[in-house]
Amino acid sequence: MTYIAKPKFQHPGLPKNDLGFTHRDYEGKISTLCAGCGHDSITASIIEACFELSIEPHRVAKISGIGCSSKTPDYFLGNSHGFNSVHGRMPSVLTGANLANRDLIYLGVSGDGDSASIGFGQFAHSIRRGVNMTYIVENNGVYGLTKGQFSATADRGSKNKRGVTNTDNAIDLVAIALQLGASFVARSFSGDKTQLVPLIAAAIEHKGAAFIDVISPCVAFNNHPGSTKSYEYVRAHNEAVNRLDFMPRRDAITASYSPGEVIEVTQHDGTRITLRKIDADYDPHDRVGAMSFLQRHAAKGQIVTGLLYVDPESEDLHSHLDTVDTPLNQLGEKALCPGSAALDKINASLR
Ligand SMILES: Cc1ncc(C[n+]2csc(CCOP(=O)(O)OP(=O)(O)O)c2C)c(N)n1
Ligand code: SF4
Ligand SMILES: [Mg+2]
């Protein structure tokens, strides 16, 4: 694969986070995507969220499939663990890595083709199992890398660059994630960094399956009139349900809003999400309500964005399976191989 390394120098005055790192320490190689591609803005938001959270880059495992979107982990967190897997197989590779080493922060990056077409089954099973991860789909409604065929998230009735109409119904990954039990579900837009950065930060701190669908226009193949994933269309049809502020554990709460306009969610680890309600009736703790809200607005052609659902009492796959606290790569031989007497006992119990 071709790549362009970024020059190492940086301005001495760049702001530093609690670890003494600047934004540059969270960057990767220079992007080779088309100028204006929404995916590059998502990369910038991931860098910003990790900088703000003062994450040690070596504690992150970024895993992707195949596609322009799946190339992006090369463009952020250059000092993290990374695995560019097979088309549609990111979720199973991530699940396996997570079970082997629970101490890392798992960032799954995928595309709408990668997750809603070939990898649809893998997406579904990783979500329903509650794998502790931040799963981001960079959703442009097309297979960008293979020259713009409709993907399974393309809306029925939308048109491709040549004016051909899509006659298939769309898969809404947010609706599916809600139905499958994801404990953190959000939708955002690559062009709205103010909304996206705190969503990514909150998802990273969330325990369990956190899913974010980010509408990310493909300027080469899906940014024309007739597309429902173009910059212009998304700006005109974006219905934000809430605006989010994310407070890491150590920060004092400084934001203050009038009562009635704010919902506060404290997550497992003490981090807090403050949601300024835009839609007065929206309750992000109501899974069924979120599903019907989404459908009602989709029927009107509106794209609902914001934090749509969060379960502050969420659990993850490790709690479900009651696995050991120690990552497998740190267990000694004695723990990993308890001997033939233990094996005989298991065999006897199965006879
Ligand atoms: C098993 C397999 N089938 C098909 C392909 C061809 N292929 C590569 S990327 C891609 C679609 C990518 O679309 P998406 O995940 O939406 O990413 P985007 O490029 O739009 O960001 C396809 C079909 C492949 N690489 N491997
Ligand atoms: S083809 Fe589309 S998705 Fe791929 S880099 Fe270009 S604009 Fe982005
Ligand atoms: Mg795509």
Side-chain angles (χ1 to χ4, degrees), residues 162-178:
R162 291 195 194 144
V164 178
T165 303
N166 177 34
T167 51
D168 295 337
N169 291 314
I171 290 174
D172 183 345
L173 290 172
V174 162
I176 307 281
L178 283 167

Side-chain angles (χ1 to χ4, degrees), residues 121-135:
Q122 297 235 343
F123 159 78
H125 291 291
S126 67
I127 297 284
R128 84 181 174 85
R129 288 184 173 130
V131 179
N132 190 12
M133 61 182 170
T134 298
Y135 191 137

Side-chain angles (χ1 to χ4, degrees), residues 15-235:
K16 292 187 172 154
N17 65 13
D18 292 353
L19 296 174
F21 289 150
T22 69
H23 279 86
R24 297 299 313 272
D25 297 305
Y26 293 88
E27 291 176 353
K29 293 169 193 147
I30 291 177
S31 171
T32 56
L33 302 185
C34 308
C37 176
H39 299 350
D40 279 335
S41 307
I42 302 173
T43 294
S45 291
I46 293 173
I47 290 171
E48 180 66 36
C50 292
F51 169 81
E52 283 180 12
L53 287 176
S54 293
I55 286 176
E56 294 169 293
H58 71 273
R59 288 197 51 239
V60 177
K62 41 181 192 166
I63 299 172
S64 60
I66 297 290
C68 298
S69 35
S70 291
K71 283 171 71 178
T72 62
D74 225 20
Y75 312 141
F76 60 82
L77 296 179
N79 294 321
S80 302
H81 307 276
F83 195 86
N84 193 198
S85 72
V86 178
H87 196 24
R89 272 54 166 199
M90 175 277 280
S92 55
V93 174
L94 189 152
T95 304
N98 186 306
L99 282 173
N101 187 353
R102 61 190 298 164
D103 276 0
L104 297 179
I105 295 165
Y106 288 92
L107 212 50
V109 178
S110 183
D112 42 312
D114 202 57
S115 282
S117 297
I118 193 168
F120 195 39
Q122 297 235 343
F123 159 78
H125 291 291
S126 67
I127 297 284
R128 84 181 174 85
R129 288 184 173 130
V131 179
N132 190 12
M133 61 182 170
T134 298
Y135 191 137
I136 297 175
V137 167
E138 305 191 346
N139 185 357
N140 52 20
V142 287
Y143 300 165
L145 190 72
T146 55
K147 306 268 179 238
Q149 303 86 347
F150 284 125
S151 81
T153 66
D155 288 307
R156 186 174 183 163
S158 62
K159 289 188 171 35
N160 73 8
K161 207 176 167 181
R162 291 195 194 144
V164 178
T165 303
N166 177 34
T167 51
D168 295 337
N169 291 314
I171 290 174
D172 183 345
L173 290 172
V174 162
I176 307 281
L178 283 167
Q179 198 270 319
L180 289 168
S183 42
F184 181 109
V185 183
R187 172 170 281 141
S188 192
F189 172 42
S190 62
D192 188 353
K193 215 174 159 194
T194 316
Q195 184 190 52
L196 184 54
V197 172
L199 276 175
I200 295 172
I204 289 175
E205 295 291 319
H206 181 78
K207 181 183 179 184
F211 176 69
I212 312 178
D213 180 58
V214 189
I215 311 288
S216 175
C218 168
V219 289
F221 299 108
N222 207 13
N223 197 35
H224 44 265
S227 161
T228 56
K229 302 273 192 289
S230 63
Y231 282 109
E232 205 173 313
Y233 187 92
V234 180
R235 285 203 181 104

